[in-house]
Amino acid sequence: NEMEALQSGYDELAEQYELVVEEKEALDEELEATHLEREAKENASLMEAQEARDLFESRLKEAVDDLEELECERDEIRVELGRAQSEVIKKEAEFEKKHTEFDSKE
């Protein structure tokens, strides 16, 4: 009789142990799923941030390229302006010379 009571107590503890182990396994799986979900969200956020950074770098590079192109155009225009100013000075000098010669002939 005492042996049956011990066996019954043991069986009950064994069942409770099984339930606890199953519950622990379920909680472990849930925790792992939560961890994986959080990790996936973090990875997605990281990828979005990297894409935003890449887009910004691309736009920045385009802006720098455009600026360099504008600077080249500006330098070319300055050279043309310098030539034009030299031409104007030359023409004014020629005009002044002809005007002086014309005045001296009168």
Side-chain angles (χ1 to χ4, degrees), residues 42 46 60 77 79 88 92 96 98 101:
E42 289 171 356
L46 180 61
L60 180 60
I77 290 170
V79 168
V88 166
E92 285 177 345
E96 202 53 45
K98 286 183 182 180
E101 289 174 3

Side-chain angles (χ1 to χ4, degrees), residues 1 6 10 17 36 49 54 60 63-64 69 81 97-98:
N1 210 8
L6 285 174
Y10 174 81
Y17 176 79
L36 292 174
D54 292 347
L60 180 60
V64 168
E69 189 176 315
L81 180 60
K97 182 180 176 189
K98 286 183 182 180

Side-chain angles (χ1 to χ4, degrees), residues 57-69:
E57 286 178 350
S58 174
R59 287 182 179 163
L60 180 60
K61 184 180 179 335
E62 287 176 18
V64 168
D65 291 346
D66 290 347
L67 179 61
E68 289 173 352
E69 189 176 315

Side-chain angles (χ1 to χ4, degrees), residues 45-90:
S45 294
L46 180 61
M47 287 186 68
E48 286 176 16
Q50 287 172 335
E51 288 172 5
R53 183 202 63 209
D54 292 347
L55 181 61
F56 174 77
E57 286 178 350
S58 174
R59 287 182 179 163
L60 180 60
K61 184 180 179 335
E62 287 176 18
V64 168
D65 291 346
D66 290 347
L67 179 61
E68 289 173 352
E69 189 176 315
L70 288 172
E71 287 174 341
C72 287
E73 289 177 20
R74 180 199 62 203
D75 293 344
E76 290 171 5
I77 290 170
R78 282 183 175 166
V79 168
E80 287 180 38
L81 180 60
R83 286 185 193 141
Q85 288 173 333
S86 296
E87 192 66 31
V88 166
I89 292 169
K90 183 178 167 186

Side-chain angles (χ1 to χ4, degrees), residues 24-42:
K24 181 190 178 304
E25 287 173 355
L27 287 173
D28 286 347
E29 287 175 13
E30 187 178 323
L31 183 62
E32 179 66 17
T34 302
H35 176 73
L36 292 174
E37 183 180 326
R38 184 180 62 225
E39 196 173 81
K41 286 179 182 176
E42 289 171 356

